[in-house]
Amino acid sequence: MKRGIMDEINLKAEATKALEKAYSPYSKFKVGAAVLTESGNLFTGCNVENVSYGLSICAERTAITRAVANEGPGMKLREVYVANCNEHGVSIPCSPCGACRQFIAEFATPATRIHYTGENGDVTTSMSDLLPDGFTF
C-alpha cells in the first residue's frame, strides 16, 4: 500500500498495529513489523505460529514477503521497524532473530535502517551492524 515516505514514529505505530493481529497461542509473544521500501511503499506483517514450531513465520519475514509479492524481486528496503509485546502487553528488548537478519539482508542496502526495542529503549542500527559478515554472493 502506497503511503509515501514515513518517519520512524509512524513506522513504529504501524508495526505496533500489526502486532495486534499476531497469532501466537504458544509463545504468547506478539511481534509486528513495518517495512518501508525504496519505492516509498509500506508493508506490515505479524508473527504466525504453528503447533509445529518450525512452520511458524516471523513478522519481519511476513512483511518482507508481502513487499516482494507487491513490488517484485527488485524490491529494496529503506527501513524496517519491529515491535513486540509479551503476554502482559509489555514490550521487551528483542532484536530480529538470526533468520530474520539474513532475510532482511537479502533486500537491504547499505543505507537500510533497522529499528527494534533494546535494553534502553528503541535501537536504530544498520544492516552491517545487525548482521556483520552476513552471507552474500
Side-chain angles (χ1 to χ4, degrees):
M1 60 187 83
K2 188 85 165 169
R3 299 279 177 108
I5 304 304
M6 301 194 65
D7 62 24
E8 185 178 324
I9 294 170
N10 289 338
L11 279 178
K12 182 177 184 176
E14 293 294 328
T16 301
K17 279 197 300 191
L19 75 80
E20 292 305 322
K21 305 233 179 185
Y23 178 72
S24 56
Y26 309 106
S27 71
K28 310 274 192 276
F29 187 70
K30 295 180 178 184
V31 182
V35 300
L36 180 65
T37 68
E38 288 290 336
S39 299
N41 296 317
L42 170 74
F43 299 93
T44 60
C46 61
N47 60 319
V48 179
E49 295 179 353
N50 188 279
V51 69
S52 175
Y53 249 55
L55 297 178
S56 298
I57 186 165
C58 298
E60 298 93 315
R61 288 183 281 151
T62 301
I64 292 168
T65 301
R66 290 181 71 200
V68 172
N70 280 273
E71 291 190 15
M75 184 280 298
K76 290 295 178 194
L77 296 168
R78 179 175 295 161
E79 286 192 70
V80 177
Y81 199 103
V82 184
N84 74 72
C85 71
N86 63 19
E87 64 187 311
H88 305 293
V90 177
S91 180
I92 63 170
C94 183
S95 65
C97 74
C100 286
R101 290 175 190 218
Q102 187 62 54
F103 208 84
I104 293 166
E106 185 76 16
F107 300 98
T109 71
T112 301
R113 296 187 319 162
I114 299 100
H115 314 276
Y116 59 90
T117 305
E119 290 291 333
N120 298 311
D122 290 345
V123 171
T124 298
T125 190
S126 67
M127 191 69 248
S128 60
D129 286 341
L130 186 64
L131 185 64
D133 299 324
F135 181 76
T136 61
F137 277 104

